[in-house]
């Protein structure tokens, strides 16, 4: 799991063009059935700046690392995450030291970002087919979505 986190963190540092001095870069990830959506947030002192939001290109090298992370976070009772936030923290500018961590959302309905919408019934069904979980751990919002409400 840590290898996938480190690879995702390295990718984030390579693709984000942030001015030195930030405290955290956060990559929010929402794997859907057909696409993987991401949102980049930068924290600088007490301010949050939201950058890129949208789907990753199909050939993006980070997609495979996200799949590895989702698989590594899986267990057959709780399933795996619907969304994840990868945090790269930086200390000691101008020669920063970086650390990478993550938080995982296995249960709450993912929020919409910009105009990409919410998880569809197809997204939820495919997620649960690939990462089955104990029936008691399927969130009510996911059941409702699959039932078409």
């Amino acid at each position: 799991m840590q290898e996938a986190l480190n690879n995702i963190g390295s990718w984030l540092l390579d693709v984000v063009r942030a001015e030195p001095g930030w405290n955290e870069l956060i990559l929010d990830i929402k794997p859907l059935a057909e696409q993987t959506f991401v949102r980049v947030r930068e924290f600088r002192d007490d301010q949050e700046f939201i950058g890129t939001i949208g789907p990753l290109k199909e050939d993006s090298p980070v997609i495979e690392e996200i799949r590895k992370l989702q698989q590594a976070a899986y267990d057959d009772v709780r399933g795996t995450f619907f969304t994840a936030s990868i945090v790269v923290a930086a200390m000691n500018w101008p020669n920063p030291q970086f650390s990478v961590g993550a938080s995982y959302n296995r249960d709450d309905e993912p929020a919409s970002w910009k105009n990409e919408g919410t998880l569809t019934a197809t997204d939820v069904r495919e997620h649960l087919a690939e990462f089955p979980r104990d029936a008691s751990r399927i969130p009510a919002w996911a059941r409702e979505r699959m039932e078409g409400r």
Side-chain angles (χ1 to χ4, degrees):
M1 184 179 297
Q2 192 61 47
E3 181 181 349
L5 279 176
N6 290 341
N7 290 341
I8 294 168
S10 293
W11 174 86
L12 181 62
L13 290 173
D14 285 344
V15 299
V16 170
R17 302 293 174 237
E19 292 295 319
W22 50 268
N23 304 91
E24 291 181 341
L25 288 179
I26 299 177
L27 179 68
D28 296 313
I29 302 167
K30 189 186 303 184
L32 304 178
E34 299 294 323
Q35 296 177 309
T36 300
F37 276 82
V38 296
R39 173 177 66 177
V40 177
R41 295 181 287 150
E42 175 187 332
F43 287 85
R44 183 179 295 274
D45 301 319
D46 293 333
Q47 293 185 304
E48 175 185 23
F49 302 94
I50 296 177
T52 304
I53 300 175
L56 290 170
K57 293 181 180 176
E58 289 180 25
D59 62 350
S60 175
V62 78
I63 291 175
E64 183 60 29
E65 296 302 324
I66 292 169
R67 288 188 181 119
K68 288 178 188 175
L69 183 64
Q70 199 170 27
Q71 187 64 46
Y74 174 73
D75 80 48
D76 58 358
V77 174
R78 299 180 310 144
T80 194
F81 59 83
F82 288 104
T83 59
S85 295
I86 311 307
V87 181
V88 178
M91 297 177 292
N92 301 323
W93 289 97
N95 300 308
Q97 296 171 321
F98 301 109
S99 60
V100 180
S103 63
Y104 307 103
N105 170 25
R106 298 172 188 266
D107 302 311
D108 296 329
E109 182 174 7
S112 288
W113 305 329
K114 205 174 175 183
N115 296 320
E116 58 68 52
T118 59
L119 271 72
T120 66
T122 299
D123 294 323
V124 175
R125 278 190 202 95
E126 287 192 22
H127 174 93
L128 294 173
E130 186 173 354
F131 301 106
R133 58 175 71 192
D134 187 271
S136 68
R137 300 299 300 252
I138 298 174
W141 68 265
R143 289 182 190 281
E144 289 174 10
R145 186 76 33 85
M146 289 186 295
E147 293 168 3
R149 287 186 242 149

